[in-house]
Amino acid sequence: MTNIYKIAVYSALSLSILAVASVLVILSDTLVGIDIILTIAYFILFAIITSVLFYSFKGIASDKSSLNNTLKMVGSFLALFIICFLMSSGEETIMREGKVLSALSSKFIGAAILMFYSLIVIASGAMLYFGLKNNK
């Protein structure tokens, strides 16, 4: 067995034992059990996110062409965000509870909405283009 496989097996076993213990705590109807379950859930979520990020970056960094493609996509995404940020307008807005939304925050929200619409148009255009290209 490789080391990664052993780690995965032992992690799965320990998480299974934690799941059984959590079910027993839930069935006991104590409020203390909910805090324990939430703590375990946050720990598991942190472990999953950390492992996904680690192996994603490891896979990207190991292949030079993959690294170049990733950097191009991230650069394109940032360039689109900068364009949308420059196109959006921001104005100070009074909220319901009397709080004030700053002009910069309003500009970021407007940029995010413009970027969302832009990405929808880009994705739709790409699907249409490749759909027509493959039908020929």
Side-chain angles (χ1 to χ4, degrees):
M1 276 202 242
T2 63
N3 287 336
I4 295 175
Y5 182 74
K6 285 181 184 179
I7 291 171
V9 167
Y10 291 132
S11 298
L13 287 174
S14 63
L15 290 176
S16 299
I17 292 170
L18 279 174
V20 169
S22 298
V23 168
L24 293 175
V25 169
I26 289 173
L27 294 176
S28 69
D29 288 334
T30 61
L31 292 177
V32 176
I34 293 173
D35 292 337
I36 293 170
I37 291 169
L38 285 175
T39 304
I40 292 170
Y42 289 140
F43 174 73
I44 292 170
L45 179 65
F46 175 75
I48 290 169
I49 290 172
T50 304
S51 65
V52 166
L53 289 175
F54 174 74
Y55 286 110
S56 296
F57 287 133
K58 182 180 174 187
I60 290 170
S62 66
D63 186 19
K64 190 173 182 178
S65 66
S66 175
L67 180 63
N68 285 337
N69 289 337
T70 302
L71 290 176
K72 286 177 189 175
M73 288 297 135
V74 169
S76 301
F77 195 77
L78 287 175
L80 181 64
F81 179 76
I82 291 170
I83 291 168
C84 291
F85 185 77
L86 294 174
M87 289 176 56
S88 67
S89 63
E91 52 191 51
E92 201 168 280
T93 308
I94 297 175
M95 309 281 281
R96 287 186 187 171
E97 292 94 24
K99 296 179 182 177
V100 177
L101 180 67
S102 69
L104 182 64
S105 296
S106 176
K107 190 164 180 144
F108 273 119
I109 292 169
I113 292 171
L114 278 175
M115 188 164 179
F116 178 71
Y117 292 148
S118 301
L119 290 173
I120 288 174
V121 169
I122 291 169
S124 300
M127 287 188 292
L128 184 64
Y129 171 76
F130 287 111
L132 293 175
K133 183 180 175 184
N134 288 337
N135 283 336
K136 290 183 180 181

mmCIF file of all heavy atoms in Angstrom, residues 69-98:
data_model
loop_
_atom_site.group_PDB
_atom_site.id
_atom_site.type_symbol
_atom_site.label_atom_id
_atom_site.label_comp_id
_atom_site.label_asym_id
_atom_site.label_seq_id
_atom_site.Cartn_x
_atom_site.Cartn_y
_atom_site.Cartn_z
ATOM 1 N N ASN A 69 -1.702 27.488 -18.695
ATOM 2 C CA ASN A 69 -3.131 27.620 -18.976
ATOM 3 C C ASN A 69 -3.878 28.208 -17.784
ATOM 4 O O ASN A 69 -4.772 29.052 -17.945
ATOM 5 C CB ASN A 69 -3.735 26.265 -19.353
ATOM 6 C CG ASN A 69 -3.277 25.799 -20.714
ATOM 7 O OD1 ASN A 69 -2.875 26.596 -21.544
ATOM 8 N ND2 ASN A 69 -3.332 24.503 -20.927
ATOM 9 N N THR A 70 -3.528 27.764 -16.586
ATOM 10 C CA THR A 70 -4.171 28.282 -15.384
ATOM 11 C C THR A 70 -3.885 29.765 -15.208
ATOM 12 O O THR A 70 -4.790 30.548 -14.891
ATOM 13 C CB THR A 70 -3.706 27.501 -14.145
ATOM 14 O OG1 THR A 70 -4.000 26.117 -14.331
ATOM 15 C CG2 THR A 70 -4.387 27.997 -12.890
ATOM 16 N N LEU A 71 -2.628 30.164 -15.420
ATOM 17 C CA LEU A 71 -2.271 31.579 -15.280
ATOM 18 C C LEU A 71 -2.974 32.436 -16.332
ATOM 19 O O LEU A 71 -3.394 33.565 -16.048
ATOM 20 C CB LEU A 71 -0.762 31.758 -15.351
ATOM 21 C CG LEU A 71 0.017 31.225 -14.143
ATOM 22 C CD1 LEU A 71 1.517 31.372 -14.368
ATOM 23 C CD2 LEU A 71 -0.413 31.927 -12.869
ATOM 24 N N LYS A 72 -3.134 31.907 -17.542
ATOM 25 C CA LYS A 72 -3.864 32.639 -18.580
ATOM 26 C C LYS A 72 -5.319 32.832 -18.186
ATOM 27 O O LYS A 72 -5.890 33.917 -18.369
ATOM 28 C CB LYS A 72 -3.787 31.896 -19.919
ATOM 29 C CG LYS A 72 -2.447 31.982 -20.601
ATOM 30 C CD LYS A 72 -2.454 31.168 -21.878
ATOM 31 C CE LYS A 72 -1.073 31.053 -22.483
ATOM 32 N NZ LYS A 72 -1.056 30.170 -23.656
ATOM 33 N N MET A 73 -5.948 31.790 -17.666
ATOM 34 C CA MET A 73 -7.351 31.883 -17.265
ATOM 35 C C MET A 73 -7.533 32.841 -16.088
ATOM 36 O O MET A 73 -8.480 33.637 -16.061
ATOM 37 C CB MET A 73 -7.910 30.501 -16.905
ATOM 38 C CG MET A 73 -8.107 29.607 -18.083
ATOM 39 S SD MET A 73 -9.323 30.320 -19.202
ATOM 40 C CE MET A 73 -8.510 30.085 -20.748
ATOM 41 N N VAL A 74 -6.646 32.754 -15.115
ATOM 42 C CA VAL A 74 -6.730 33.667 -13.963
ATOM 43 C C VAL A 74 -6.504 35.103 -14.421
ATOM 44 O O VAL A 74 -7.205 36.023 -13.986
ATOM 45 C CB VAL A 74 -5.722 33.260 -12.860
ATOM 46 C CG1 VAL A 74 -5.605 34.326 -11.790
ATOM 47 C CG2 VAL A 74 -6.140 31.935 -12.235
ATOM 48 N N GLY A 75 -5.551 35.316 -15.324
ATOM 49 C CA GLY A 75 -5.309 36.652 -15.866
ATOM 50 C C GLY A 75 -6.496 37.178 -16.641
ATOM 51 O O GLY A 75 -6.861 38.355 -16.513
ATOM 52 N N SER A 76 -7.125 36.321 -17.434
ATOM 53 C CA SER A 76 -8.324 36.730 -18.177
ATOM 54 C C SER A 76 -9.460 37.095 -17.230
ATOM 55 O O SER A 76 -10.173 38.087 -17.435
ATOM 56 C CB SER A 76 -8.791 35.605 -19.100
ATOM 57 O OG SER A 76 -7.800 35.259 -20.008
ATOM 58 N N PHE A 77 -9.615 36.310 -16.184
ATOM 59 C CA PHE A 77 -10.649 36.566 -15.195
ATOM 60 C C PHE A 77 -10.409 37.904 -14.498
ATOM 61 O O PHE A 77 -11.339 38.705 -14.321
ATOM 62 C CB PHE A 77 -10.651 35.418 -14.178
ATOM 63 C CG PHE A 77 -11.860 35.361 -13.312
ATOM 64 C CD1 PHE A 77 -13.047 34.859 -13.791
ATOM 65 C CD2 PHE A 77 -11.806 35.784 -11.991
ATOM 66 C CE1 PHE A 77 -14.171 34.788 -12.984
ATOM 67 C CE2 PHE A 77 -12.919 35.726 -11.189
ATOM 68 C CZ PHE A 77 -14.103 35.220 -11.680
ATOM 69 N N LEU A 78 -9.159 38.168 -14.118
ATOM 70 C CA LEU A 78 -8.826 39.443 -13.472
ATOM 71 C C LEU A 78 -8.991 40.617 -14.425
ATOM 72 O O LEU A 78 -9.469 41.685 -14.023
ATOM 73 C CB LEU A 78 -7.400 39.402 -12.915
ATOM 74 C CG LEU A 78 -7.199 38.546 -11.671
ATOM 75 C CD1 LEU A 78 -5.718 38.486 -11.299
ATOM 76 C CD2 LEU A 78 -8.003 39.071 -10.507
ATOM 77 N N ALA A 79 -8.613 40.437 -15.681
ATOM 78 C CA ALA A 79 -8.783 41.513 -16.664
ATOM 79 C C ALA A 79 -10.265 41.826 -16.857
ATOM 80 O O ALA A 79 -10.656 43.005 -16.917
ATOM 81 C CB ALA A 79 -8.148 41.117 -17.990
ATOM 82 N N LEU A 80 -11.110 40.798 -16.912
ATOM 83 C CA LEU A 80 -12.546 41.016 -17.038
ATOM 84 C C LEU A 80 -13.087 41.739 -15.809
ATOM 85 O O LEU A 80 -13.918 42.640 -15.922
ATOM 86 C CB LEU A 80 -13.275 39.691 -17.247
ATOM 87 C CG LEU A 80 -14.785 39.776 -17.412
ATOM 88 C CD1 LEU A 80 -15.144 40.551 -18.673
ATOM 89 C CD2 LEU A 80 -15.395 38.390 -17.436
ATOM 90 N N PHE A 81 -12.591 41.367 -14.632
ATOM 91 C CA PHE A 81 -13.054 42.042 -13.417
ATOM 92 C C PHE A 81 -12.643 43.509 -13.416
ATOM 93 O O PHE A 81 -13.441 44.374 -13.034
ATOM 94 C CB PHE A 81 -12.520 41.354 -12.162
ATOM 95 C CG PHE A 81 -12.965 42.046 -10.907
ATOM 96 C CD1 PHE A 81 -14.260 41.895 -10.453
ATOM 97 C CD2 PHE A 81 -12.106 42.869 -10.197
ATOM 98 C CE1 PHE A 81 -14.697 42.546 -9.311
ATOM 99 C CE2 PHE A 81 -12.532 43.527 -9.062
ATOM 100 C CZ PHE A 81 -13.828 43.358 -8.610
ATOM 101 N N ILE A 82 -11.431 43.805 -13.846
ATOM 102 C CA ILE A 82 -10.975 45.200 -13.889
ATOM 103 C C ILE A 82 -11.823 46.005 -14.873
ATOM 104 O O ILE A 82 -12.231 47.137 -14.582
ATOM 105 C CB ILE A 82 -9.474 45.268 -14.231
ATOM 106 C CG1 ILE A 82 -8.653 44.729 -13.058
ATOM 107 C CG2 ILE A 82 -9.040 46.682 -14.576
ATOM 108 C CD1 ILE A 82 -7.194 44.517 -13.353
ATOM 109 N N ILE A 83 -12.123 45.419 -16.032
ATOM 110 C CA ILE A 83 -12.970 46.103 -17.011
ATOM 111 C C ILE A 83 -14.361 46.352 -16.421
ATOM 112 O O ILE A 83 -14.905 47.457 -16.538
ATOM 113 C CB ILE A 83 -13.055 45.277 -18.317
ATOM 114 C CG1 ILE A 83 -11.707 45.285 -19.030
ATOM 115 C CG2 ILE A 83 -14.153 45.818 -19.232
ATOM 116 C CD1 ILE A 83 -11.616 44.284 -20.164
ATOM 117 N N CYS A 84 -14.927 45.358 -15.775
ATOM 118 C CA CYS A 84 -16.256 45.518 -15.171
ATOM 119 C C CYS A 84 -16.221 46.526 -14.025
ATOM 120 O O CYS A 84 -17.172 47.294 -13.839
ATOM 121 C CB CYS A 84 -16.779 44.174 -14.667
ATOM 122 S SG CYS A 84 -17.182 43.021 -15.979
ATOM 123 N N PHE A 85 -15.137 46.552 -13.267
ATOM 124 C CA PHE A 85 -15.005 47.507 -12.166
ATOM 125 C C PHE A 85 -14.938 48.933 -12.700
ATOM 126 O O PHE A 85 -15.552 49.845 -12.140
ATOM 127 C CB PHE A 85 -13.760 47.193 -11.328
ATOM 128 C CG PHE A 85 -13.619 48.058 -10.113
ATOM 129 C CD1 PHE A 85 -14.398 47.825 -8.993
ATOM 130 C CD2 PHE A 85 -12.720 49.106 -10.086
ATOM 131 C CE1 PHE A 85 -14.275 48.614 -7.868
ATOM 132 C CE2 PHE A 85 -12.589 49.907 -8.968
ATOM 133 C CZ PHE A 85 -13.369 49.661 -7.853
ATOM 134 N N LEU A 86 -14.209 49.127 -13.790
ATOM 135 C CA LEU A 86 -14.110 50.460 -14.376
ATOM 136 C C LEU A 86 -15.430 50.902 -15.002
ATOM 137 O O LEU A 86 -15.734 52.100 -15.041
ATOM 138 C CB LEU A 86 -12.988 50.503 -15.413
ATOM 139 C CG LEU A 86 -11.565 50.319 -14.861
ATOM 140 C CD1 LEU A 86 -10.566 50.238 -15.993
ATOM 141 C CD2 LEU A 86 -11.216 51.425 -13.892
ATOM 142 N N MET A 87 -16.223 49.964 -15.495
ATOM 143 C CA MET A 87 -17.500 50.303 -16.121
ATOM 144 C C MET A 87 -18.615 50.557 -15.106
ATOM 145 O O MET A 87 -19.589 51.245 -15.422
ATOM 146 C CB MET A 87 -17.938 49.176 -17.067
ATOM 147 C CG MET A 87 -17.110 49.067 -18.312
ATOM 148 S SD MET A 87 -17.577 47.664 -19.347
ATOM 149 C CE MET A 87 -19.296 47.970 -19.627
ATOM 150 N N SER A 88 -18.486 50.017 -13.902
ATOM 151 C CA SER A 88 -19.564 50.147 -12.924
ATOM 152 C C SER A 88 -19.502 51.504 -12.229
ATOM 153 O O SER A 88 -18.455 52.151 -12.152
ATOM 154 C CB SER A 88 -19.490 49.030 -11.887
ATOM 155 O OG SER A 88 -18.331 49.180 -11.102
ATOM 156 N N SER A 89 -20.662 51.927 -11.758
ATOM 157 C CA SER A 89 -20.726 53.184 -11.020
ATOM 158 C C SER A 89 -21.119 52.876 -9.580
ATOM 159 O O SER A 89 -21.896 51.957 -9.318
ATOM 160 C CB SER A 89 -21.752 54.122 -11.663
ATOM 161 O OG SER A 89 -23.032 53.545 -11.598
ATOM 162 N N GLY A 90 -20.586 53.630 -8.672
ATOM 163 C CA GLY A 90 -20.893 53.414 -7.266
ATOM 164 C C GLY A 90 -21.383 54.689 -6.619
ATOM 165 O O GLY A 90 -20.840 55.765 -6.852
ATOM 166 N N GLU A 91 -22.437 54.545 -5.845
ATOM 167 C CA GLU A 91 -22.946 55.700 -5.128
ATOM 168 C C GLU A 91 -23.318 55.273 -3.720
ATOM 169 O O GLU A 91 -23.735 54.137 -3.497
ATOM 170 C CB GLU A 91 -24.140 56.307 -5.852
ATOM 171 C CG GLU A 91 -25.230 55.322 -6.176
ATOM 172 C CD GLU A 91 -26.262 55.912 -7.107
ATOM 173 O OE1 GLU A 91 -25.875 56.458 -8.143
ATOM 174 O OE2 GLU A 91 -27.445 55.801 -6.770
ATOM 175 N N GLU A 92 -23.162 56.166 -2.789
ATOM 176 C CA GLU A 92 -23.469 55.882 -1.406
ATOM 177 C C GLU A 92 -24.966 55.667 -1.254
ATOM 178 O O GLU A 92 -25.781 56.443 -1.755
ATOM 179 C CB GLU A 92 -23.018 57.062 -0.543
ATOM 180 C CG GLU A 92 -22.830 56.703 0.890
ATOM 181 C CD GLU A 92 -22.112 57.804 1.635
ATOM 182 O OE1 GLU A 92 -20.884 57.879 1.528
ATOM 183 O OE2 GLU A 92 -22.813 58.575 2.302
ATOM 184 N N THR A 93 -25.347 54.588 -0.555
ATOM 185 C CA THR A 93 -26.755 54.215 -0.430
ATOM 186 C C THR A 93 -27.097 53.991 1.035
ATOM 187 O O THR A 93 -26.349 53.337 1.757
ATOM 188 C CB THR A 93 -27.033 52.923 -1.224
ATOM 189 O OG1 THR A 93 -26.554 53.086 -2.560
ATOM 190 C CG2 THR A 93 -28.493 52.586 -1.242
ATOM 191 N N ILE A 94 -28.244 54.508 1.455
ATOM 192 C CA ILE A 94 -28.708 54.276 2.821
ATOM 193 C C ILE A 94 -29.530 52.988 2.825
ATOM 194 O O ILE A 94 -30.449 52.810 2.025
ATOM 195 C CB ILE A 94 -29.548 55.476 3.310
ATOM 196 C CG1 ILE A 94 -28.667 56.722 3.351
ATOM 197 C CG2 ILE A 94 -30.138 55.177 4.685
ATOM 198 C CD1 ILE A 94 -29.397 57.979 3.707
ATOM 199 N N MET A 95 -29.198 52.104 3.749
ATOM 200 C CA MET A 95 -29.850 50.802 3.834
ATOM 201 C C MET A 95 -31.076 50.887 4.749
ATOM 202 O O MET A 95 -31.380 51.949 5.290
ATOM 203 C CB MET A 95 -28.862 49.759 4.375
ATOM 204 C CG MET A 95 -27.531 49.721 3.635
ATOM 205 S SD MET A 95 -27.600 48.856 2.115
ATOM 206 C CE MET A 95 -27.530 47.217 2.716
ATOM 207 N N ARG A 96 -31.769 49.776 4.944
ATOM 208 C CA ARG A 96 -33.002 49.741 5.739
ATOM 209 C C ARG A 96 -32.787 50.115 7.209
ATOM 210 O O ARG A 96 -33.555 50.846 7.779
ATOM 211 C CB ARG A 96 -33.634 48.360 5.684
ATOM 212 C CG ARG A 96 -34.264 48.057 4.379
ATOM 213 C CD ARG A 96 -34.988 46.743 4.453
ATOM 214 N NE ARG A 96 -35.468 46.379 3.128
ATOM 215 C CZ ARG A 96 -35.975 45.223 2.834
ATOM 216 N NH1 ARG A 96 -36.069 44.302 3.758
ATOM 217 N NH2 ARG A 96 -36.387 44.966 1.624
ATOM 218 N N GLU A 97 -31.766 49.565 7.833
ATOM 219 C CA GLU A 97 -31.554 49.786 9.261
ATOM 220 C C GLU A 97 -30.810 51.088 9.545
ATOM 221 O O GLU A 97 -30.316 51.294 10.638
ATOM 222 C CB GLU A 97 -30.773 48.618 9.880
ATOM 223 C CG GLU A 97 -31.532 47.321 9.925
ATOM 224 C CD GLU A 97 -31.255 46.447 8.722
ATOM 225 O OE1 GLU A 97 -30.183 46.601 8.097
ATOM 226 O OE2 GLU A 97 -32.113 45.628 8.378
ATOM 227 N N GLY A 98 -30.692 51.928 8.563
ATOM 228 C CA GLY A 98 -29.986 53.192 8.751
ATOM 229 C C GLY A 98 -28.492 53.088 8.474
ATOM 230 O O GLY A 98 -27.784 54.085 8.558
#
